[in-house]
Amino acid sequence: MTRLNLPPVQDIAFLRASVNYTEFHLTDGRKIVSSYTLIHHENQIKSFLRINKSYLINPTYIEKVNAVGSKREVQLRNGECIRVSRRRRGVLEGL
């Protein structure tokens, strides 16, 4: 079994679950696919925030948190907006 060489944490913008794979979206726009699940990577990279069932984001890459009524979304430095689930809203406290 080959081991995935993870890029440095500061080069990762966010991770997105895709069935039983994980897509690493890097700050330079590249994408790397891992055959491990998002939960596996969440256990490996403790500093990232799980904002919904499909996304694990680098907190240093957050531009701002948008609030529309009771809904929240995180805007990343690359302009991408990711919805925050109701049960995960607490992870954004203190940002």
Side-chain angles (χ1 to χ4, degrees):
M1 184 155 112
T2 59
R3 187 141 167 77
L4 175 69
N5 291 326
L6 293 178
V9 171
Q10 66 270 15
D11 292 346
I12 303 170
F14 63 92
L15 286 73
R16 185 172 76 88
S18 179
V19 189
N20 286 330
Y21 295 92
T22 302
E23 296 174 357
F24 282 74
H25 292 260
L26 306 181
T27 56
D28 64 5
R30 290 183 302 138
K31 190 167 39 168
I32 298 172
V33 177
S34 164
S35 60
Y36 291 102
T37 63
L38 189 62
I39 292 172
H40 171 84
H41 292 296
E42 183 178 16
N43 292 330
Q44 302 298 311
I45 309 172
K46 300 287 187 194
S47 61
F48 279 32
L49 303 174
R50 183 75 175 259
I51 61 167
N52 62 39
K53 70 178 184 174
S54 300
Y55 284 88
L56 194 59
I57 61 170
N58 186 342
T60 62
Y61 201 65
I62 295 174
E63 183 73 33
K64 64 181 178 177
V65 177
N66 299 319
V68 179
S70 63
K71 295 180 172 54
R72 302 279 183 275
E73 68 179 15
V74 172
Q75 182 176 336
L76 302 178
R77 284 193 215 152
N78 64 359
E80 185 149 356
C81 291
I82 303 171
R83 198 98 180 266
V84 180
S85 69
R86 276 179 301 168
R87 65 173 53 169
R88 300 282 183 174
R89 221 176 279 155
V91 300
L92 298 175
E93 299 302 319
L95 287 180

